[in-house]
Amino acid sequence: MNSTNYILNTEFKGIVYSENEISYKEYENCAFIDCNFTNCIFLAASFIDCKFVNCNFNGAKINHTSLRTVYFNKCKISDVNFAMIDKFIFEIHFKDCNLDFSKFYALKLKGTTFTNTSLVAVDFMVADLSEVVFENCDLYRSEFDKAIANKTNFKTSFNYTINPEKTKIKKAIFSLEGVKGLLYKYDIIVK
């Protein structure tokens, strides 16, 4: 990798990235602020100890990309498929983001935090959500079939429907109000 493809300790602000501008580059300890990655292709890119603040990733293609200790704050990441991410040392965190219609199918998300984040119709099927924290998140129509949600914290989140017969939820934390999201399939009324 040549030196122009390895970027260290750099802040990028207000940049609108072209479709292939990010591919094959490695970023370490970088910050991206108010950047637009709409419809960008992240092919074989690497982000280590990076943060994204108020960035737009809507429709981005994230294939074979490394996300190692990456924080997303106030980002729009709708309809992004994370399933093809590089799974080696994978660690991400989201705060005040919109991840509606995104896909985390079959990913190991253990320990990931989602804080004040919209997760409408997100695909968590077959994912390992062990010890994930969903803090004040909207999980309307998100899909959890065959996921592992052991010790997952849903206590302050809402609008989820989880079938305990199809999702492992041992020692998961739910609020009393949220328990109705576990009983939906039985077509009963909880008052």
Side-chain angles (χ1 to χ4, degrees), residues 9 17 34 53 58 87 92 107:
N9 298 329
Y17 287 90
D34 299 320
V53 179
N58 291 346
K87 293 156 185 77
I92 53 177
L107 282 178

Side-chain angles (χ1 to χ4, degrees), residues 1 5 18-27 37 39-47 60-67 81 84-86:
M1 183 175 290
N5 288 339
S18 63
E19 185 177 291
N20 293 303
E21 196 171 345
I22 294 292
S23 293
Y24 304 105
K25 292 186 179 173
E26 184 174 345
Y27 298 88
F37 301 99
N39 296 319
C40 280
I41 297 171
F42 290 72
L43 181 61
S46 180
F47 298 90
K61 310 281 185 284
I62 302 179
N63 296 324
H64 310 292
T65 294
S66 299
L67 297 174
N81 186 353
M84 293 297 295
I85 208 84
D86 178 358

Side-chain angles (χ1 to χ4, degrees), residues 121-173:
V122 170
D123 181 353
F124 289 112
M125 291 191 304
V126 194
D128 183 350
L129 302 168
S130 299
E131 300 174 25
V132 166
V133 175
F134 291 103
E135 184 180 332
N136 196 37
C137 294
D138 185 356
L139 292 158
Y140 181 72
R141 294 201 177 246
S142 285
E143 185 59 60
F144 294 93
D145 274 7
K146 298 180 184 170
I148 301 168
N150 296 333
K151 298 183 181 177
T152 301
N153 190 337
F154 294 95
K155 186 176 180 183
T156 58
S157 289
F158 48 95
N159 291 332
Y160 51 83
T161 51
I162 300 171
N163 184 343
E165 295 173 12
K166 293 183 178 181
T167 304
K168 295 179 182 178
I169 56 171
K170 187 175 183 179
K171 297 195 181 201
I173 302 167

Side-chain angles (χ1 to χ4, degrees), residues 12-119:
F12 302 91
K13 196 166 188 179
I15 298 172
V16 177
Y17 287 90
S18 63
E19 185 177 291
N20 293 303
E21 196 171 345
I22 294 292
S23 293
Y24 304 105
K25 292 186 179 173
E26 184 174 345
Y27 298 88
E28 186 170 354
N29 199 31
C30 292
F32 298 84
I33 302 165
D34 299 320
C35 293
N36 190 340
F37 301 99
T38 300
N39 296 319
C40 280
I41 297 171
F42 290 72
L43 181 61
S46 180
F47 298 90
I48 303 164
D49 297 323
C50 291
K51 67 179 179 178
F52 294 89
V53 179
N54 201 38
C55 294
N56 187 342
F57 292 87
N58 291 346
K61 310 281 185 284
I62 302 179
N63 296 324
H64 310 292
T65 294
S66 299
L67 297 174
R68 299 178 181 155
T69 316
V70 176
Y71 291 84
F72 296 90
N73 190 1
K74 298 180 182 173
C75 293
K76 294 177 185 142
I77 315 173
S78 291
D79 197 29
V80 172
N81 186 353
F82 288 88
M84 293 297 295
I85 208 84
D86 178 358
K87 293 156 185 77
F88 183 69
I89 313 176
F90 173 64
E91 181 185 345
I92 53 177
H93 301 278
F94 301 93
K95 183 177 182 185
D96 300 320
C97 292
N98 182 325
L99 284 157
D100 295 350
F101 308 103
S102 290
K103 295 157 193 68
F104 293 94
Y105 180 83
L107 282 178
K108 291 183 192 272
L109 295 166
K110 186 175 181 176
T112 297
T113 55
F114 297 91
T115 306
N116 299 325
T117 294
S118 181
L119 295 158

